[in-house]
Amino acid sequence: MIGHSTAASLARFSQADWVEAARLHAVMNGMRASQWPALACTLMLALLTRGDVPALALSAVLALVVGVQLLRWAFVRGYRQRQRRGQVDEQLAYLRRHRWYWALNGLAWGVWPLLFHGRVPPEVELVCWTLVAGVGGVGVAWMSAHLGVTRIF
């Protein structure tokens, strides 16, 4: 149910802004729901590649990925605070200010193949590729609600 402040907020904005906010809301809900599975995939990739890739390289990738996931948690939390207030302009401004995050998230997942390709046994590499492709496929699926976000990712 739309609260009074949300209804008043909606009345001040164009239909295009409202549609964009709704699309971005769908993307943010997907981000929120996929935080724990993303962490599980990170853990699985780390365990699968451990011992076959240089420890320093694995540590660097893990630092990047875990750092991006911490930023993700803060990003989603900041969005949820603005979303609860119901101000469409505030939500859109927040998401536009943080659009750099989508590229960083894609980069964090995109470095995994550079780490494991050709360095782990073939059956392990297949599992690693499946995990990375799964994360990418799921990401593109829930980001498809907003074409701009999908392109940045």
Side-chain angles (χ1 to χ4, degrees):
M1 178 154 209
I2 296 178
H4 176 68
S5 65
T6 303
S9 172
L10 292 176
R12 295 183 305 166
F13 301 102
S14 70
Q15 182 179 6
D17 283 344
W18 186 87
V19 168
E20 182 178 8
R23 288 179 176 172
L24 287 168
H25 180 70
V27 170
M28 295 304 290
N29 276 343
M31 276 187 73
R32 191 170 136 247
S34 63
Q35 286 179 324
W36 288 109
L39 193 57
C41 284
T42 299
L43 178 62
M44 286 187 276
L45 285 165
L47 291 173
L48 287 166
T49 57
R50 179 181 51 111
D52 292 315
V53 300
L56 184 60
L58 178 58
S59 297
V61 168
L62 282 173
L64 172 66
V65 172
V66 170
V68 169
Q69 289 179 357
L70 289 171
L71 284 172
R72 174 188 188 147
W73 179 81
F75 179 43
V76 170
R77 186 170 183 254
Y79 170 76
R80 298 283 294 164
Q81 290 171 347
R82 284 154 185 82
Q83 190 260 334
R84 279 193 290 274
R85 288 194 289 258
Q87 301 296 322
V88 172
D89 60 338
E90 204 178 320
Q91 293 169 37
L92 288 175
Y94 179 78
L95 292 168
R96 288 175 181 147
R97 272 193 321 272
H98 292 87
R99 76 177 54 186
W100 54 266
Y101 175 80
W102 309 111
L104 185 61
N105 189 31
L107 173 73
W109 287 105
V111 298
W112 278 108
L114 297 174
L115 184 68
F116 65 73
H117 181 67
R119 293 190 174 114
V120 297
E123 59 277 3
V124 172
E125 188 171 343
L126 176 64
V127 174
C128 290
W129 275 112
T130 302
L131 286 168
V132 172
V135 167
V138 168
V140 168
W142 57 257
M143 287 183 208
S144 67
H146 193 279
L147 187 57
V149 169
T150 306
R151 286 181 176 152
I152 293 171
F153 178 74

